[in-house]
Amino acid sequence: MTEPTRSRAVFSTEDFSLIRTAVGDYLQKVKDQPESVKYANLYHRLGRLR
């Protein structure tokens, strides 16, 4: 029986910072729309990944 291959990270730590910046910018553009809550939650979750 073979061992499962180890999963590799898709994003680096630096990527999360870049994604958080992009989401923050987009959040300002959709702040008056209903989906802005989802983007705000994502923005805050990305901030906790440091």
Side-chain angles (χ1 to χ4, degrees):
M1 188 173 195
T2 61
E3 287 188 33
T5 42
R6 184 175 173 184
S7 62
R8 294 176 29 200
V10 175
F11 296 110
S12 71
T13 305
E14 184 179 346
D15 292 340
F16 286 110
S17 176
L18 293 171
I19 294 168
R20 187 171 194 258
T21 300
V23 170
D25 182 63
Y26 187 70
L27 183 56
Q28 295 302 312
K29 295 175 183 174
V30 297
K31 63 183 175 187
D32 296 328
Q33 298 178 18
E35 74 264 16
S36 66
V37 174
K38 292 179 182 181
Y39 286 100
N41 291 337
L42 174 59
Y43 180 80
H44 291 292
R45 285 194 308 271
L46 288 168
R48 291 192 302 239
L49 291 173
R50 295 181 189 163

